[in-house]
Amino acid sequence: HVQLVESGGGSVQAGGSLRLSCGASGYTYSSNCMGWFRQAPGKEREAVAAHYTGTATTYVADSVKGRFAISQDNTKNVLYLQMNSLQPEDTAMYYCATNGALWAVDPLSPDEYKYWGQGTQVTVSS
């Protein structure tokens, strides 16, 4: 079965960096749409970035553009989210997701995704 496991969250001060990892198993990682999403308490889940693992095409939400970047290690079936210049408003639970398909109509929409990890907490203090 499809399994996504996030790691790498933690607490940092504003301006710091973290790298999140998402280990994937149970499906064809090499040709899928995957995404990173986040949800702060009392807020809706929002897209951070999306990535087609087959073509390495990436989409990044405007709110984090220039600060966050996706990369992948196809040999390990791992998707990374490098987060730089973190701000308190980046505090949230971060989730990795996949739609288990080659393509998505709107890769930055949470509704596109069928499989989700358990999340990893990121806390940024000022």
Side-chain angles (χ1 to χ4, degrees), residues 19 22-25 27-34 51-58 70-80:
R19 188 177 77 160
C22 174
S25 62
Y27 69 102
T28 306
Y29 170 87
S30 60
S31 54
N32 264 261
C33 181
M34 297 187 71
H51 182 79
Y52 287 104
T53 58
T55 63
T57 302
T58 296
I70 278 185
S71 62
Q72 64 184 52
D73 183 340
N74 284 355
T75 65
K76 298 179 181 178
N77 288 3
V78 177
L79 187 73
Y80 300 102

Side-chain angles (χ1 to χ4, degrees), residues 7-28:
S7 61
S11 297
V12 296
Q13 290 191 328
S17 298
L18 285 172
R19 188 177 77 160
L20 306 184
S21 300
C22 174
S25 62
Y27 69 102
T28 306

Side-chain angles (χ1 to χ4, degrees), residues 1-107:
H1 66 282
V2 176
Q3 190 170 19
L4 301 171
V5 180
E6 303 96 333
S7 61
S11 297
V12 296
Q13 290 191 328
S17 298
L18 285 172
R19 188 177 77 160
L20 306 184
S21 300
C22 174
S25 62
Y27 69 102
T28 306
Y29 170 87
S30 60
S31 54
N32 264 261
C33 181
M34 297 187 71
W36 283 102
F37 296 82
R38 66 186 183 185
Q39 188 166 19
K43 294 188 177 181
E44 292 188 354
R45 189 167 295 189
E46 65 171 348
V48 175
H51 182 79
Y52 287 104
T53 58
T55 63
T57 302
T58 296
Y59 304 86
V60 181
D62 289 341
S63 59
V64 301
K65 197 167 289 183
R67 300 188 298 122
F68 291 13
I70 278 185
S71 62
Q72 64 184 52
D73 183 340
N74 284 355
T75 65
K76 298 179 181 178
N77 288 3
V78 177
L79 187 73
Y80 300 102
L81 181 69
Q82 178 66 44
M83 305 186 297
N84 299 324
S85 300
L86 283 161
Q87 300 300 317
E89 53 265 34
D90 296 316
T91 295
M93 185 72 79
Y94 283 71
Y95 298 91
C96 174
T98 182
N99 68 351
L102 289 171
W103 182 74
V105 173
D106 181 1

